[in-house]
Amino acid sequence: MTHPAQPKASHFINGEYVEDTAGTPIPVIYAATGEQIATVHAATPAIVEQALSTAKAAQKAWARMTGTERGRILRRAADIMRERNHDLSVLETYDTGKPLQETLVADATSGADALEYFGGLAASLTGEHIPLGEDWVYTKREALGLCVGIGAWNYPTQIACWKGAPALACGNSMVFKPSETTPLCALKVAEILIEAGAPAGVFNVVQGMGEVGGALVTDPRVDKVSLTGSVPTGKKVYAAAAEGMKHVTMELGGKSPLIIFDDADIDNAVGGAINGNFYSSGQVCSNGTRVFVQKGIKEKFLARLAERTGNAILGDPMDEATSFGPMVTENQMNIVLGYIEKGKEEGARLICGGRRADMDGYFIEPTVFADVTDDMTIAREEIFGPVMSVLDFDTEEEVVARANDTEFGLSAGVFTKDFTRAHRVIGNLEAGSCFINSYNDAPVEAPFGGVKASGVGRENSKEAIKHFSQVKSVYVRMGDVEAAF
Ligand code: NDP
């Protein structure tokens, strides 16, 4: 019997599901059991061509619609997503293995927020009038054209919406390629947009590995590439886009600092560290994986952290009581287990976890290392799994310098009751998305993105509009033209 997660076909182009079984089969594995639940096929060159030509053809008419009309469609799509939140969350859980307890509140709901927010903004995208005496200049905010979105595997619904919603609000069309690991959810986003009234061809989904992404990025018809992925992939995609002088948004990895001063509320700080390391089993780009704890509260903090981490419920992700799911793939699990071994070898003190859980699926116990030093591999490289490194510090000056000593710059957090210090520390940290007495909140209203190797551009908020549109300026002369000859 066909599994309910099996999509009707692999791709969604020009308003309908499309199949081409000549493409390499991609098995979809449910991370909680290791069972194959679906198969899709990578896009063949014919499929890539169909998607790009369709999106190119659909864009101009879409951009000519009023912002109010485009926005209404996006907002209708948001409503449909919310009505179907349960089914979409179950699909997200099949796609990623994340527990339903999370997917019910963080995926289709976040996607719907993006559709609603950018749907609301669509009608307000206007230019300026700049008076110059008799003459004047006016500006218009125009769509970029055909955009490509490429997603990572941790938030397949959310990433499709965070890219698709602002792109479409501005009058662009999009071809979206999900990660080969999680190909299912973006198809539903495409289906829902059509149901909400989007013209066929404005949002298309094609499956495939890096080479399909590469074919999309290098096509001369493409005006912009928005990638969520790792830094090495980001460098390749950015370089390929530069060759064609295309716009880019790069949402890449991190090794973010979370700084806890000894006046902090311990339970809140522990909560922040848990949210910043163990949500989605640690597979979150903005995670605060270097937890700097001031020496005065270190042992108290570690004791409370170990106690609360022991309350994580590993188990069937479809059971709403489960609060901690598996790694997305066997490969990712092995990468993370490799880092845990490195941590042990390099002399970090294991506080809890530290091994594969004794159950089916790709579960790793939530793991905390203490006495981590700045030069250890687990403190320098992005692990993308449930491995928290706790480092000690003495002074503010010292911790800020150590926190910034990384190629990454996605996020940063600080816990303290001293607000002057909180703002001063955040002001000195090299990071794009920061938190004070909190961690990992990502409301659509707030800009999201990194500095340094963690990325270029911003998603969400009004900032995203700037990255999916461009300004045309028009000088209007009211009198005669003067010329030298
Ligand atoms: P990857 O960088 O491996 O892949 C990202 C996407 O790019 C995938 O769809 C991948 O396809 C595709 N891709 C790979 N190579 C190319 C290429 N040469 N040209 C075009 N596309 C290509 O990342 P992961 O999927 O492993 O995701 C984990 C990473 O994503 C982590 O580093 C994490 O920090 C980052 N991330 C960043 C976020 C942010 O917003 N800053 C949010 C979430 C994750 P395929 O995988 O099918 O080969």
Side-chain angles (χ1 to χ4, degrees):
M1 209 184 82
T2 313
H3 192 278
Q6 174 67 46
K8 279 187 214 153
S10 300
H11 319 289
F12 195 96
I13 301 172
N14 205 19
E16 53 190 34
Y17 277 97
V18 178
E19 190 55 275
D20 182 351
T21 52
T24 310
I26 301 174
V28 185
I29 310 290
Y30 182 38
T33 59
E35 161 205 14
Q36 182 171 342
I37 54 170
T39 308
V40 296
H41 293 268
T44 54
I47 289 286
V48 170
E49 176 53 35
Q50 203 182 331
L52 288 170
S53 54
T54 296
K56 178 79 186 163
Q59 189 265 325
K60 287 246 159 20
W62 173 244
R64 274 198 300 269
M65 284 169 66
T66 67
T68 307
E69 288 166 332
R70 287 198 302 273
R72 192 179 302 135
I73 291 166
L74 297 181
R75 285 185 292 103
R76 226 182 267 142
D79 291 344
I80 299 173
M81 285 194 85
R82 289 210 179 89
E83 279 159 23
R84 296 194 195 147
N85 183 42
H86 194 272
D87 289 353
L88 293 169
S89 303
V90 167
L91 190 67
E92 175 92 19
T93 293
Y94 277 130
D95 222 359
T96 61
K98 291 185 295 182
L100 200 54
Q101 189 189 91
E102 281 188 19
T103 57
L104 282 169
V105 296
D107 293 283
T109 52
S110 162
D113 282 355
L115 289 161
E116 184 172 5
Y117 178 85
F118 289 106
L121 278 187
S124 69
L125 308 179
T126 56
E128 260 191 304
H129 169 261
I130 304 162
L132 294 164
E134 287 288 292
D135 296 349
W136 43 284
V137 167
Y138 69 93
T139 64
K140 294 174 72 173
R141 188 152 285 279
E142 295 188 335
L144 298 173
L146 167 50
C147 301
V148 160
I150 301 178
W153 40 255
N154 53 350
Y155 285 85
T157 306
Q158 184 189 80
I159 294 172
C161 293
W162 280 19
K163 298 190 188 307
L168 266 51
C170 294
N172 304 284
S173 59
M174 178 165 270
V175 176
F176 184 82
K177 189 201 83 69
S179 163
E180 66 178 282
T181 305
T182 53
L184 306 177
C185 295
L187 292 167
K188 287 288 167 196
V189 175
E191 207 182 303
I192 286 170
L193 279 162
I194 287 292
E195 217 178 309
V202 302
F203 186 81
N204 309 277
V205 175
V206 297
Q207 308 294 349
M209 290 71 118
E211 62 189 48
V212 171
L216 294 171
V217 171
T218 48
D219 191 279
R221 286 165 290 186
V222 171
D223 300 290
K224 153 137 202 169
V225 180
S226 176
L227 170 84
T228 296
S230 61
V231 172
T233 303
K235 286 180 181 168
K236 279 190 227 157
V237 171
Y238 198 176
E243 195 60 39
M245 208 56 85
K246 299 176 201 300
H247 297 253
V248 295
T249 299
M250 295 282 144
E251 293 294 351
L252 309 176
K255 190 75 198 174
S256 301
L258 169 56
I259 301 174
I260 298 166
F261 285 96
D262 55 18
D263 66 341
D265 178 287
I266 296 241
D267 259 307
N268 285 334
V270 167
I274 288 173
N275 290 342
N277 281 272
F278 298 141
Y279 203 69
S280 302
S281 301
Q283 302 166 115
V284 180
C285 51
S286 51
N287 272 356
T289 46
R290 289 183 297 144
V291 180
F292 290 93
V293 181
Q294 205 164 18
K295 282 188 182 146
I297 53 159
K298 175 182 160 184
E299 292 307 328
K300 222 162 139 193
F301 175 86
L302 286 172
R304 190 71 184 117
L305 177 64
E307 188 187 332
R308 284 181 57 181
T309 302
N311 295 333
I313 300 172
L314 284 67
D316 175 5
M318 294 296 175
D319 179 348
E320 281 184 50
T322 297
S323 57
F324 189 86
M327 294 287 94
V328 71
T329 57
E330 189 172 13
N331 183 44
Q332 187 63 19
M333 176 185 72
N334 289 329
I335 291 171
V336 175
L337 289 172
Y339 277 110
I340 291 175
E341 284 317 304
K342 271 240 163 342
K344 292 176 186 166
E345 274 163 38
E346 293 179 10
R349 171 161 61 109
L350 187 64
I351 299 292
C352 57
R355 53 189 192 97
R356 183 175 181 179
D358 188 15
M359 56 204 289
D360 284 345
Y362 312 131
F363 288 85
I364 295 177
E365 293 174 349
T367 297
V368 177
F369 281 108
D371 303 340
V372 176
T373 54
D374 296 345
D375 54 340
M376 287 182 188
T377 310
I378 56 169
R380 301 219 66 82
E381 296 181 14
E382 183 182 45
I383 300 175
F384 227 60
V387 183
M388 185 192 307
S389 293
V390 178
L391 305 93
D392 328 329
F393 74 95
D394 288 302
T395 68
E396 178 184 321
E397 199 183 8
E398 167 212 337
V399 78
V400 167
R402 289 170 60 199
N404 285 337
D405 183 20
T406 167
E407 63 165 325
F408 300 109
L410 184 51
S411 291
V414 56
F415 275 81
T416 175
K417 290 201 183 96
D418 177 346
F419 267 81
T420 310
R421 174 162 67 188
H423 293 292
R424 186 173 59 234
V425 168
I426 289 294
N428 287 325
L429 290 172
E430 296 160 2
S433 304
C434 298
F435 309 92
I436 293 177
N437 292 334
S438 190
Y439 206 86
N440 260 354
D441 315 77
V444 68
E445 296 86 346
F448 181 80
V451 302
K452 293 158 75 179
S454 292
V456 173
R458 291 291 177 272
E459 295 201 296
N460 287 343
S461 79
K462 291 182 199 146
E463 286 296 312
I465 296 295
K466 294 185 194 154
H467 298 286
F468 277 107
S469 62
Q470 57 197 339
V471 171
K472 176 181 275 176
S473 72
V474 184
Y475 189 104
V476 180
R477 182 174 295 283
M478 300 301 284
D480 295 332
V481 174
E482 277 181 34
F485 50 86

